[in-house]
Amino acid sequence: MLKGHQSWIFENKPNIKASATVVGPFEGRGPLAGDFDIIHGDSMLEEESWEKAEKILIEQAAKLAIEKAGLTKEQVQFHIGGDLMNQIISTSFAARTLSIPYLGVFGACSTSMESLALASALVNSGAAKFILAGTCSHNSSVEKQFRYPTEYGSQKPPTAQYTVTGAGAAIVSQEGEGPVIASATIGRVIDMGITDPFNMGAAMAPAAVDTIQAHFRDLQIEPGYYDLIVTGDLAKVGYEIACKLFEKHNIPMHQTEYADCGMMIYDYDTQMVQAGASGCGCSAVVTYGHLLKRMQMGEIKRMLVVATGALLSPLSYQQGESIPCIAHAVAIESGGRS
């Protein structure tokens, strides 16, 4: 199963039996709206707080993924997930409602692929038959915790990103006809000394490139092996830095299509999102909604999803710490197994 230094090959081909996405109204006005399962018209979701609304997002995505898989929650052995809130309360409180044996993880915005990679490893080993993997974020809860509350009305620089209000969940199974998880590469923590919380793209880009480079090295393949390589939420600033780093390290990304989830979910011309999107929900809803739909339609046969995360906290920022970052890569291929 271990391949090279930091990658896993899943010889039993764990299957994405079903996936589900739930987003807020702003995401519902973007170019990928047709690929989401539920679009809420109110970002409060009729709850008392942004945090409670975020919990509802992941609850709904999880329940819908289980339903689409033709399962009951009692048939799911484990639930792996996390989010950006302190002590990952959105996912943990949703796990209280779901009552599925739970493993909480934190990889910031890389959590979507971290949870999928861990779920795949467990299913591949035979430790479980069905695992729920998922994550979520909410624009207003994240702004309140990490930056300035929306009500403050602060002006953001062009490097800032707009946190996605959304949740994505998937059922990873030993059997099924959906896409299979072929491999995963677990990233290292990379810190290039960036201290600006309004410039996440610059902080995360080196981690994304490091993980992609490790994936190619461990599996002894080149970018052209994939029809698409997509990073999590580098947005415009981080995407441009990543492209320069690929060139610097002689990684032939011209062999394939390279895109970024943070540049796909919003319309730059009509939605004021500065550099683009971010948040745990960004790569989750783009992958489990839009990209898997493209794969189902036959447009993509092999793709590498590289979710990126900035591992800062309000406390570390207040103490003058720089921003350590990480990226986890999961290779998804079309074709199922029964």
Side-chain angles (χ1 to χ4, degrees):
M1 184 173 155
L2 179 65
K3 182 71 172 178
H5 184 67
Q6 61 195 82
S7 298
W8 295 326
I9 294 287
F10 302 123
E11 63 276 3
N12 294 322
K13 304 294 183 185
N15 189 279
I16 299 179
K17 191 172 181 66
S19 65
T21 52
V22 181
V23 300
F26 194 62
E27 292 68 27
R29 295 196 294 272
L32 306 185
D35 296 331
F36 303 136
D37 293 299
I38 298 175
I39 299 174
H40 284 280
D42 173 21
S43 60
M44 283 293 289
L45 278 65
E46 300 183 354
E47 292 295 322
E48 298 175 348
S49 69
W50 306 121
E51 290 77 12
K52 289 183 177 180
E54 183 174 332
K55 177 182 75 76
I56 296 298
L57 290 172
I58 188 59
E59 282 183 3
Q60 290 182 337
K63 290 177 180 178
L64 184 56
I66 294 170
E67 179 183 331
K68 289 170 70 175
L71 302 171
T72 64
K73 66 178 185 178
E74 289 75 20
Q75 293 175 281
V76 180
Q77 280 81 43
F78 302 108
H79 168 198
I80 303 176
D83 53 79
L84 290 170
M85 292 296 94
N86 288 340
Q87 287 75 52
I88 56 174
I89 56 171
S90 298
T91 306
S92 295
F93 280 48
R96 175 181 64 183
T97 302
L98 294 168
S99 193
I100 298 171
Y102 170 62
L103 293 165
V105 297
F106 179 78
C109 303
S110 72
T111 301
S112 62
M113 292 304 108
E114 179 181 9
S115 59
L116 185 60
L118 291 171
S120 301
L122 288 172
V123 168
N124 185 74
S125 70
K129 187 174 181 180
F130 302 111
I131 297 183
L132 169 70
T135 187
C136 60
S137 57
H138 193 295
N139 180 270
S140 296
S141 64
V142 167
E143 289 296 310
K144 187 171 76 174
Q145 176 167 298
F146 284 97
R147 301 179 185 99
Y148 297 106
T150 305
E151 295 84 352
Y152 185 77
S154 63
Q155 186 173 358
K156 294 181 173 60
T159 57
Q161 293 169 241
Y162 191 95
T163 303
V164 166
T165 298
I171 298 294
V172 180
S173 169
Q174 290 181 347
E175 58 186 30
E177 296 302 319
V180 297
I181 299 99
S183 63
T185 297
I186 305 304
R188 302 184 300 159
V189 174
I190 304 292
D191 189 340
M192 301 303 291
I194 302 293
T195 59
D196 182 3
F198 289 104
N199 196 0
M200 293 289 95
M204 294 186 292
V209 173
D210 185 78
T211 298
I212 291 170
Q213 194 171 27
H215 182 79
F216 295 150
R217 181 180 62 246
D218 286 353
L219 273 63
Q220 298 181 346
I221 57 175
E222 292 194 346
Y225 181 81
Y226 296 105
D227 302 311
L228 172 69
I229 296 175
V230 59
T231 41
D233 48 0
L234 300 182
K236 282 184 177 179
V237 174
Y239 179 86
E240 292 176 2
I241 294 172
C243 288
K244 291 178 181 178
L245 289 173
F246 289 137
E247 185 176 351
K248 177 181 178 181
H249 293 290
N250 298 313
I251 302 173
M253 292 294 282
H254 63 274
Q255 295 178 358
T256 187
E257 177 187 354
Y258 169 48
D260 185 79
C261 295
M263 298 172 67
M264 298 164 67
I265 191 169
Y266 297 127
D267 186 331
Y268 283 102
D269 294 329
T270 62
Q271 295 176 291
M272 298 181 64
V273 293
Q274 288 83 36
S278 66
C280 287
C282 179
S283 58
V285 300
V286 172
T287 300
Y288 293 144
H290 174 67
L291 295 179
L292 288 187
K293 188 172 183 179
R294 285 186 62 189
M295 182 166 278
Q296 184 181 24
M297 294 172 64
E299 297 177 8
I300 302 171
K301 292 185 178 180
R302 293 173 178 160
M303 66 179 176
L304 184 69
V305 183
V306 189
T308 53
L311 304 177
L312 81 165
S313 76
L315 179 63
S316 66
Y317 170 71
Q318 290 164 7
Q319 293 184 353
E321 280 280 0
S322 55
I323 302 172
C325 297
I326 198 164
H328 301 299
V330 175
I332 304 173
E333 300 182 1
S334 61
R337 52 185 288 272
S338 58

